[in-house]
Amino acid sequence: MLENYPKRLERYKRLIEISRDLASTLELDSLLNRIIHAARDITEAEAASILLYDDTARELYFQAATNPDPMMRGMVIPMDSIAGWIVIHREPVRISDVRKDNRYFKNVAQTLSFQTKSLMGVPLITKEKVVGVLEVLNKADGDFTETDEDMLTVLGAQAAVAIENTRLFQQSDLIAEFVHELRTPLASLSTATYLLLRPEISREQAEQIISNIHQETIRLNALASSFLDLARLESGRVQFNKSSFPFQPLCQECKGVLGSKAEENHISIEINIPEDMPIVAGDRDKLKQVLMNLMSNAIKYNRANGRVTVNAGHKEKDWFFSVSDTGYGIPEDALPNLFQKFYRVKGLETKATGTGLGLSICKQIVQGHGGRIEVRSKVGEGTTFTVYIPR
Ligand SMILES: Nc1ncnc2c1ncn2[C@@H]1O[C@H](COP(=O)(O)OP(=O)(O)OP(=O)(O)O)[C@@H](O)[C@H]1O
Ligand SMILES: [Mg+2]
């Protein structure tokens, strides 16, 4: 079927517009969103999706779709699927009926309520490296054409460069901040060792200094692991291994780990999970990391004899859990900054040690589940963080 000239011109114009648009987006999620919507529009498809390829783990996983399903994100797609074939052969694919193709990965169809018939996919390649696959599904009328393939190939080439750019940009930004954060602890370690070498230092003073060095190295260690976690999450290369699990035991595990720290400050931990709270779905280890950080904050920034309460339940289309404390609270003007990297509320830094990365990590994990995290706080009364995850 030959396409009329004005219509094709219109599609080329749209392609040029998109290329400009892509070059100016440096945030991965919004970039991927633009790419899939553009891909769907210029090929007149019903839906589009992007899979990213992790060349260290040699795994392909689902990252974004025009009709998003939170359970799909992070899903690992086997290499003997159509998308896997595209990565291995570095060639585009056009199929008029996937149900007749034995490479078709049926899990995707089962997870989504979406029926796929025709499919076209191109590899996303930069500097000889495959970073992912761009797929469009169900051509509006008939099959995908050669023109469609050309268009998607051009878009794919632009998209690959843009994806690589966001990664490099994020990395350089994050590394600059990390190096800045290293300076203070390194300076104090350097001062401490200098003091230790002074002959006039008493034994007690020396012990005090050594204890400070010890604390500071523990903090540096925590900084390094938090930093790595965050860098991996931000690059979009982390996979979410979703499963169904009961929530109550997870809370008990966190309480077990944090219990002695709470006892030291005479803080009680209450877990209030309703009896009828069914099994929840998500990446158990990552959600545990979120709960651990929220509970550890609630203990760290609490007052002596305070209380920490964990609640959970269902609300509309989400399930949620919240962590409340009876601590210092957070001033209103600090609330918007809480989820920024390395941010710590002024005046509270002295109450407890921390890297200021915990909440940034939480936010990334929650967003990776398609959810959101909210905070309410009143100075002098306490704070509640609530995490909502779509069911
Ligand atoms: N429950 C809370 N009550 C009062 N302030 C809080 C609470 N939770 C977080 N904050 C404030 O927000 C800041 C950022 O929290 P975040 O968890 O990101 O970092 P952190 O606890 O300082 O360090 P880390 O979690 O990496 O050890 C904290 O330093 C603290 O100032
Ligand atoms: Mg924290």
Side-chain angles (χ1 to χ4, degrees), residues 113-165:
S113 45
F114 191 83
Q115 284 275 341
T116 306
K117 190 167 182 286
S118 55
L119 180 152
M120 177 168 70
V122 296
L124 302 173
I125 302 177
T126 55
K127 294 182 245 134
E128 301 300 304
K129 234 175 62 189
V130 182
V131 296
V133 172
L134 176 58
E135 284 182 345
V136 285
L137 312 170
N138 296 352
K139 175 83 177 174
D141 49 64
D143 290 337
F144 289 108
T145 63
E146 213 173 309
T147 318
D148 291 331
E149 189 178 311
D150 289 346
M151 295 257 177
L152 198 65
T153 304
V154 174
L155 178 65
Q158 307 271 1
V161 175
I163 291 171
E164 202 57 18
N165 278 346

Side-chain angles (χ1 to χ4, degrees), residues 201-267:
I201 289 281
S202 73
R203 207 196 143 98
E204 285 86 65
Q205 284 170 321
E207 271 167 14
Q208 181 59 51
I209 294 169
I210 290 168
S211 151
N212 286 347
I213 291 177
H214 183 60
Q215 291 303 324
E216 209 55 36
T217 51
I218 290 176
R219 211 183 78 81
L220 272 171
N221 207 1
L223 184 64
S225 22
S226 295
F227 173 80
L228 277 180
D229 275 354
L230 190 62
R232 294 201 62 219
L233 284 162
E234 284 199 345
S235 74
R237 269 178 246 219
V238 170
Q239 285 143 34
F240 288 81
N241 302 315
K242 308 219 171 126
S243 66
S244 301
F245 58 90
F247 195 61
Q248 170 86 22
L250 184 86
C251 299
Q252 294 301 342
E253 283 170 35
C254 294
K255 185 175 171 176
V257 178
L258 297 167
S260 59
K261 178 105 178 81
E263 269 163 37
E264 265 172 41
N265 299 302
H266 307 282
I267 291 165

